[in-house]
Amino acid sequence: MSSLKLKSAHSNCENCPVHDKLNLQKLGVNAENADFIVALAGNPNTGKSTIFNALTGLRQHTGNWTGKTVARSEGSFVFHDNKYKVIDLPGTYSLISSSLEEEIARNFVLFGKPDVTIIVTDATRLERNLNLVLQMLEISSRAIVCVNLIDEAAKNGIRIDAKVLSRDLGVPVVLTAARDETGIYDLLSAIEKIAVSTDPVKARTIFDISEEISNPVNELDAIIRKEYPELPNSKWLAIRLLDNDKSLIEALKKGELGQLKNDAKKAVEPNILPQDDNDILGASNKLKGKLPRDYHDKLVERTYAEAAKIAEKAIIKSGEKRKFNLDLFLDKIFISPLFGYPVMFLLFAFMFWLTIAGANVPSALLFDFLVSTVHPFLKSGAEYLHFPWWLSGFLIDGMYLATAWVISVMLPPMAIFFPMFTLLEDFGYLPRVAFNMDNLFKKAGAHGKQVMTMMMGFGCNAAGVVATRIIDSPRERLIAIITNNFAICNGRWPTQILIATIFIGALVPAHLAGFVSSMAVVSVALLGVLLTFIISWGLSNTVLKGQPSVFSLELPPYRVPKFWQTLYKSIIDRTLFVLWRAVVFALPAGAVIWLISNISIGGETIAFHMVHFLDPFGWFLGLNGIILVAYIVAIPANEIVIPTVLMLIVLLTGAQNHTDSAGVIFETDSIESLGGLLKNGGFTLLTAVNLMLFSLIHNPCSTTIYTIFKETKSLKWTMVSTFLPIVLGIIVTATIALIWRLNA
Amino acid sequence: MIFDIFKRKGKELIEGSKAILSELIPGQKAFIKSISEDCQGIERQRLMDLGFVPGSLVEVEMRSPFRDPTAYRIKGGLIALRKIQASKIYISPAVA
Ligand SMILES: Nc1nc2c(ncn2[C@@H]2O[C@H](COP(=O)(O)OP(=O)(O)OP(=O)(O)O)[C@@H](O)[C@H]2O)c(=O)[nH]1
Ligand SMILES: [Mg+2]
């Protein structure tokens, strides 16, 4: 937590008088006892999370695609002795919610009663953004319109006149370029002014509606006002109820309407409420009949017409546009029928190759240090301190060693892959991949945005499952959740890389080894993509039948990432975060492995019994008992599969080669000798191939399973997501083993 | 050139003179006239949220390698729609 950290000298000091900047304390997530609540709302991809980070000093994930934030997150800061709690909301296109993350945002603004709502807009798409702004202002006047991305607008020859805009909207307008923290100080002052003001909440007058519409609206408005005189936005409510707004009607039925009031404390006893609210609902149902059929469209068009009028006055087109349009040029390449797919393939293949080739040396160094140097040192230390053998075994050969393994196999590839992926994400390439691939997803009966959740899955499947919230249709969302497991997560990359390097790379001359093993990993990843299509297709033609639903995807402008900032953030947030999770699981796993390898029943260790019990089935799958035991131990986290395999081999078979006593360690010092170790454990090329396949096709880790349950709230679909891949994995590996042996 | 398609398609379409958005090719512009009646609920709302409302100027910017979906420039944003949706949006010619 970066609490109390103050930004020191900064390049944008013109905008932030130093003495006042010092009045800002970024408090991170410490949001207890806040004086004021500030909500960040607005269209997707306008920079809400970037502003959130600038205010709180937190590092909420940002990314150049719509729908990066799917759940709300909180943080806080202190400014001039007042403590503010900030809520970063998912982006929404309108208040008429049609997807889960939009509902989260809208309900917070409606029922969460923030003291200040910052409506973040994109200066380059002001007109469409104003559509949402106007809707928001119809609910509450305690708002600030933040026109962000003014740096990008300036590059396109657009300037925004904040004064004119503020006059037309009736609320303060602040211009910012949040990524450089330009205008953040102005924003703070504006927040403060609204927060401390005691003006009651007003709602923007809703005008320009034809009589045909305004009569029923006014009639219902009068009824609502009779029941709730203090309600500031009764007319808005009337309009929405007449428009058949499901979640508002729901809220009304539950008696939550009292919460919409200025002052929550005055809320009437809930027992009386439903009756009154039923009156309102009844009246609304009756009045609906009087409305014209295109009532809804009329409302939307009215808001747009007003937005267009306001935008026209506020936008100053200055000078010429850039002559060379980079976006168009890049899209010509990335989207082109000729180059689109090859470029996509080469880009990802290059990323994998760089990860594999680049991870080799640091992995060996880490291994050398943690396993070959520190481990013996710890052992002799324990001996010196007269630790009993079981204690030093349990702690050092079990817990420490498993952790050391995990760090040396995981850290280097992640530290290379994550920053590259984050750069690509910030650049704006991911939505283009979705655009390119949508056709295939459509044919599989799935949603094009599934490709984005899949790519999040390449980082972490649990994150990928949460990201499916960007898919509106429940059917297609479920397909995306079930198939997310076929995106190889970072916990599985090390298995792929290590096995490919040792067994596949060894098949070719040394100078080709790096390339060939990369291609092997890429092939497995592509097989995962293929399986995603096949399973999606299968699901949407059987249990999840249905029409392909609405697909709309906003393609953001390309944005040159801030290189060092991105690098830093992705190392700290993603790499170390994921590594930490792996370590947390590795410690107990190491303990378990040591215990099962050292506790004997009937003269043989538990691990021995397990391995021998599973060996026949493992053989049938072209694997072995050790691998299956490793997968059982690794249910909480895939990242410990390889360390478990290695430790089990050492503990069960490798002891004579490397050490003197059972249950103790080996002194391998490079990837090559790891290969020797695995071969000692009975690994063949078939084992290697099937291990790579099995690593792709098996049950999700327990965290992902739990996340699936939370997201679907269905035991049935959680079970399907868990067992479908494992059954498929068994079928695939068994088939390959059979064919392999028949041909051998 | 832009008028050609209106002439050609105009006769074939059931809805009389109504030309549809999915018929435009990259580079062409038009005004949104209306959204078809069979597009209702969330789908209709989402299209309108994204700026597909009567009177908006729309330009076809690019097609995906498999020719579907297509990306449209509308109200400053670049929005990709599948053909099936774009075919539910009626347009009128924009005078270039
Ligand atoms: N050039 C420039 N880029 C910005 C600015 N603010 C944000 N960005 C970039 O715009 C992209 C979107 O920013 P986010 O903060 O993730 O946007 P968001 O509104 O939280 O998006 P959702 O969570 O999807 O609704 C990121 O790539 C940011 O780095 C800015 O003022 N100038
Ligand atoms: Mg966000």
Side-chain angles (χ1 to χ4, degrees), chain A residues 93-94 96 98 102 125 127-128 131 293 296-297 300-301 304 328 331 335-337 341 432 435-436 438-440 442 446-448 472 548-555, chain B residues 35 37 42-54 56 61-71 73-85:
Chain A
Y93 284 110
S94 78
I96 305 157
S98 48
E102 289 198 328
R125 287 158 184 59
E127 184 186 334
R128 195 190 71 207
N131 176 42
R293 223 159 46 97
H296 180 84
D297 291 13
V300 179
E301 284 163 29
Y304 262 116
L328 267 181
D331 275 337
I335 305 292
S336 109
Y341 274 77
R432 267 75 185 178
F435 184 67
N436 278 343
D438 176 62
N439 206 284
L440 298 173
K442 187 181 76 180
H447 199 286
D472 301 343
S549 76
V550 208
F551 168 81
S552 59
L553 170 75
E554 177 150 18
L555 301 171
Chain B
I35 301 178
E37 287 295 320
I42 290 177
E43 188 177 356
R44 189 183 192 86
Q45 178 59 40
R46 185 37 56 91
L47 285 174
M48 297 204 289
D49 287 343
L50 292 167
F52 292 91
V53 285
S56 294
E61 201 153 302
M62 59 200 181
R63 286 223 154 108
S64 131
F66 288 122
R67 305 181 59 75
D68 186 25
T70 302
R73 177 71 62 184
I74 188 156
K75 292 196 191 290
L78 188 59
I79 311 287
L81 297 180
R82 282 179 181 170
K83 192 170 177 177
I84 182 153
Q85 281 159 280

